[in-house]
Amino acid sequence: FFDKEDQAGGVSAGIQIPGYKSITIPAGKTDVSVELMNPEENEVYFQISFYLPDTDETIYTSKLIRPGQHLYEITLEKAMEAGEYPLTVKYDTFTADEDMTPRNGAEVNCTLVVKE
């Protein structure tokens, strides 16, 4: 016989990570409209960054986003030319207390669609 251990053991209460198939932005602009959010049910802060694996560049890093908060306008570190690029959306998470302890993060792979 064996004891079923509590599966939620060392795992932080499930952190909800929004997924994206693609993110579309206009070509040649650094101020773009992209909705980024931290679902309300999370108990962690998010810091979201956009990473281009082809060129090993991070083109955006958000400020800390509290649970339930949305960002609608972001500023990229560089304007992109029209085309489609592999994009990794990185989620770094931090406890929502004074310590801001880093927690498990996640990476979501999608496509950055840059339109004229």
Side-chain angles (χ1 to χ4, degrees):
F1 96 101
F2 61 92
D3 279 346
K4 268 195 165 171
E5 284 190 36
D6 178 11
Q7 293 299 312
V11 179
S12 53
I15 296 173
Q16 301 290 316
I17 301 287
Y20 300 92
K21 283 188 173 46
S22 66
I23 293 175
T24 303
I25 63 169
K29 297 205 181 315
T30 53
D31 289 330
V32 298
S33 296
V34 174
E35 182 180 4
L36 301 176
M37 56 140 351
N38 184 352
E40 216 168 295
E41 50 276 14
N42 284 338
E43 293 179 7
V44 294
Y45 283 85
F46 277 0
Q47 184 175 47
I48 300 173
S49 52
F50 290 177
Y51 174 75
L52 298 172
D54 285 357
T55 55
D56 200 26
E57 284 177 281
T58 298
I59 58 166
Y60 173 72
T61 304
S62 74
K63 63 188 192 319
L64 291 177
I65 304 170
R66 67 181 182 277
Q69 182 180 19
H70 292 247
L71 299 182
Y72 296 101
E73 303 294 326
I74 68 171
T75 301
L76 302 177
E77 292 181 23
K78 71 177 214 171
M80 299 292 294
E81 291 180 22
E84 293 194 0
Y85 304 87
L87 179 70
T88 301
V89 181
K90 293 176 72 173
Y91 291 86
D92 291 304
T93 64
F94 302 89
T95 56
D97 57 22
E98 313 77 62
D99 298 335
M100 302 296 287
T101 310
R103 302 302 300 262
N104 293 339
E107 292 189 356
V108 175
N109 292 314
C110 67
T111 302
L112 181 64
V113 179
V114 184
K115 293 194 168 172
E116 282 297 344

